[in-house]
Amino acid sequence: MFANMPTTVEGAKLQLTLEQEAKFRVVYRKTKDEQGAYFADLWNPEIDYTDEFIIVPLRSVYDGVTVPLAIGTKFANVEGSTDDLKHGEKSWIQLLLKYLPAGDVDSCCAEHNKIYVGDSQDESDDKTKKFSCGGTLVGGHVILQATNSSTVDEGGNVHLLPICHKHNTFRYSGRTGAGYYMKLARQMKAVKLKSYFQLSALVEE
């Protein structure tokens, strides 16, 4: 049961007491490929639900993750994402572990000791050549298919991937995590987040 799932923007408008929040839940059934889920029923506390079901608060929505992303897929950091709301989890890594296989979240998904700058994957300089991975594994807010970091407007959609602290915070152009992009070192899925900075919900496009 996902008791601490984030609310949607519309769901946040519902004025529910703690008692109502605990009582009124929604049941989703996972799709066969487990990449998404669809509405199944309203929650019945007398039913013992199996693992094929997901139970979330009335104000929340679960829709899945991306399709598997190919090795070499480009992605860049979202600038200024540090204060995005934590979706009821203790960390962004915990959120990733809830929806992705543990084996996909046990190490940095970016190419080891590499970052890229410019539109060409071959473009490099002294800073990129000296870059090395390191630090704690984090759930990084990223933009897929991007060749440079950028900000994302409040309410926009972003993605979440497991990357090391260095890939997440390296100062290439002055600002934390800015001025470069990365490539996936392995095939894996990414968690999708919508309503950035607005009690985001998981979403599948």
Side-chain angles (χ1 to χ4, degrees):
M1 180 183 297
F2 298 153
N4 294 318
M5 285 287 290
T7 63
T8 62
V9 175
E10 290 301 316
K13 296 177 183 178
L14 295 175
Q15 301 298 313
L16 301 180
T17 65
L18 291 177
E19 181 180 358
Q20 290 172 326
E21 190 78 53
K23 181 179 180 180
F24 299 118
R25 300 179 185 274
V26 181
V27 180
Y28 289 85
R29 184 192 292 269
K30 295 179 183 178
T31 56
K32 291 183 178 180
D33 59 11
E34 296 193 352
Q35 293 185 20
Y38 56 90
F39 174 77
D41 204 350
L42 295 178
W43 178 61
N44 183 341
E46 297 181 358
I47 295 178
D48 186 16
Y49 295 95
T50 65
D51 290 342
E52 65 181 314
F53 294 98
I54 299 168
I55 303 170
V56 301
L58 178 63
R59 299 190 303 163
S60 301
V61 173
Y62 172 84
D63 280 315
V65 296
T66 67
V67 297
L69 304 171
I71 294 173
T73 296
K74 300 175 183 178
F75 64 96
N77 288 316
V78 175
E79 297 178 18
S81 63
T82 303
D83 294 325
D84 191 20
L85 302 169
K86 292 295 189 296
H87 303 267
E89 297 299 322
K90 294 181 178 180
S91 69
W92 290 110
I93 283 293
Q94 290 300 314
L95 184 65
L96 284 169
L97 284 169
K98 182 174 284 187
Y99 300 107
L100 298 180
D104 282 348
V105 191
D106 62 0
S107 62
C108 181
C109 70
E111 289 183 348
H112 189 63
N113 292 338
K114 289 185 179 180
I115 57 173
Y116 301 89
V117 295
D119 294 329
S120 170
Q121 66 179 29
D122 298 321
E123 186 176 344
S124 62
D125 56 24
D126 289 340
K127 283 188 177 181
T128 60
K129 290 176 181 178
K130 293 178 180 179
F131 175 83
S132 62
C133 295
T136 306
L137 193 67
V138 301
H141 288 63
V142 302
I143 307 167
L144 297 181
Q145 307 298 343
T147 55
N148 203 346
S149 60
S150 68
T151 58
V152 173
D153 292 336
E154 181 177 321
N157 293 349
V158 299
H159 293 80
L160 203 64
L161 284 172
I163 55 178
C164 68
H165 179 74
K166 197 70 174 289
H167 269 114
N168 190 49
T169 62
F170 184 68
R171 292 180 179 270
Y172 178 85
S173 60
R175 190 171 182 179
T176 300
Y180 58 92
Y181 68 95
M182 299 154 273
K183 293 182 183 180
L184 276 181
R186 58 179 179 267
Q187 184 185 70
M188 66 173 295
K189 300 174 183 177
V191 169
K192 297 181 180 181
L193 301 174
K194 71 177 180 180
S195 301
Y196 177 58
F197 264 99
Q198 291 182 338
L199 288 176
S200 313
L202 297 170
V203 61
E204 182 174 14
E205 293 171 352

